[in-house]
Amino acid sequence: MTKHRLSRRGRHIAWATTGVVVVAGAGIAAQTSMAATSWPTQKTYTGRAFDTCTAPSLAAMKAWKTGFYGAAAVYIGGKNRGCAQPNLTASWVKSVSAAGWKLIPLYVGAQPPCQTSGNPERFTATTAAALGKSNAEDAVAKASALGMKPGSPIYLNMESYDITNKACNDATLTYVRSFTKTLRAKTYRAGLYGFSSSSAKAIATATDRTDLPGNLWYALWNSKNTTTADWPWDPKLYTDHSRAHQYMVNSKETRGGHTITVDRNAWDAPVAITG
């Protein structure tokens, strides 16, 4: 289901150990070209998390707060976002945060020109840098309006594409670098969700590390709840609480009388600052 994040199908959860730690500067070491500025202390979550296409109701979120999951990914914006978000408001963010949830902001930005899908927004080699900048500015505005403060991460959703197509891959890296650089200029941390065989691989294996996201969320559907044992790339990359792993999709689960179809992820990376 490689286009689940751009569709109206069910979204996703995450697993790891449990607990929240606050790490000063974690994830920033993996980033380059950081502006010389004072960064808020990163909020890092290590544990089980979930995400689903439409943010659940507040009642569902409270029912699901059983201790098994501790974080939820939410789609904050982007023209390619596949689901309406009637519940996702600043009030919802405040309420679920007060209930103990950690939130993971996802932004479905423009997609590669060689991608085979019906996305309403794509970039080209000519527009990649400009769209990366404008998309990042919109992502920050959306996150801020929801009460997700500077220092929060925003994870760019980059779907699967042919990374052996050099022109397409070069354009994609240009877009991602522009998006990342713009986020950092506004004091938001950059992350990317992508597939271990394509979009995440392009980021992890890029020779030039300049302005690449400092956090990588890779889709590898092997049912293994880990961010280390199956890490496919250089083990020195994305250490210090900068990895997440989507390992299972379309899991239909019921908790407290509320049924949600989710994807599961192992999480050891930044989450939104909402307090």
Side-chain angles (χ1 to χ4, degrees):
M1 191 170 109
T2 59
K3 297 298 183 287
H4 56 282
R5 291 177 181 266
L6 303 177
S7 74
R8 294 183 179 276
R9 296 186 181 181
R11 294 268 333 140
H12 313 18
I13 47 194
W15 293 45
T17 52
T18 53
V20 176
V21 293
V22 176
V23 182
I28 292 182
Q31 303 175 2
T32 57
S33 299
M34 292 293 294
T37 186
S38 178
W39 278 73
T41 299
Q42 176 173 303
K43 178 183 283 187
T44 299
Y45 173 73
T46 302
R48 300 180 179 97
F50 83 85
D51 64 86
T52 188
C53 194
T54 299
S57 67
L58 180 57
M61 291 295 288
K62 288 181 177 179
W64 271 54
K65 195 70 177 75
T66 63
F68 190 70
Y69 302 118
V74 292
Y75 287 92
I76 65 170
K79 290 183 179 179
N80 292 324
R81 183 173 64 175
C83 292
Q85 300 294 340
N87 300 315
L88 188 55
T89 63
S91 175
W92 183 92
V93 168
K94 183 176 181 179
S95 295
V96 299
S97 296
W101 286 103
K102 310 308 173 200
L103 296 176
I104 301 159
L106 262 168
Y107 186 86
V108 192
Q111 298 294 304
C114 62
Q115 191 184 86
T116 56
S117 66
N119 302 316
E121 184 175 48
R122 295 176 185 269
F123 52 81
T124 66
T126 301
T127 63
L131 264 178
K133 182 176 186 294
S134 62
N135 278 185
E137 289 171 343
D138 182 58
V140 168
K142 295 291 195 301
S144 178
L146 288 169
M148 298 174 178
K149 299 178 180 181
S152 297
I154 298 176
Y155 292 85
L156 176 63
N157 188 147
M158 185 61 64
E159 292 294 318
S160 183
Y161 69 96
D162 180 8
I163 63 173
T164 66
N165 181 327
K166 187 178 185 304
C168 186
N169 195 56
D170 287 349
T172 301
L173 290 175
T174 295
Y175 170 84
V176 171
R177 287 189 170 104
S178 179
F179 188 94
T180 299
K181 186 175 181 179
T182 304
L183 286 189
R184 292 177 187 160
K186 294 180 177 294
T187 326
Y188 280 76
R189 290 175 164 87
L192 182 134
Y193 165 86
F195 290 79
S196 63
S197 59
S198 60
S199 42
K201 182 178 181 179
I203 299 302
T205 60
T207 302
D208 181 1
R209 308 302 302 166
T210 305
D211 289 329
L212 293 182
N215 304 282
L216 191 60
W217 177 1
Y218 62 104
L220 177 59
W221 302 334
N222 59 5
S223 299
K224 294 182 179 180
N225 173 24
T226 179
T227 62
T228 56
D230 65 353
W231 176 254
W233 307 294
D234 184 342
K236 296 187 296 295
L237 287 175
Y238 297 100
T239 56
D240 198 12
H241 306 289
S242 297
R243 298 177 185 174
H245 171 208
Q246 183 185 80
Y247 65 86
M248 183 186 299
V249 294
N250 291 336
S251 176
K252 189 174 183 179
E253 303 181 14
T254 301
R255 303 183 190 283
H258 293 265
T259 301
I260 309 173
T261 299
V262 298
D263 296 345
R264 296 183 176 187
N265 308 264
W267 201 268
D268 185 25
V271 293
I273 299 170
T274 58

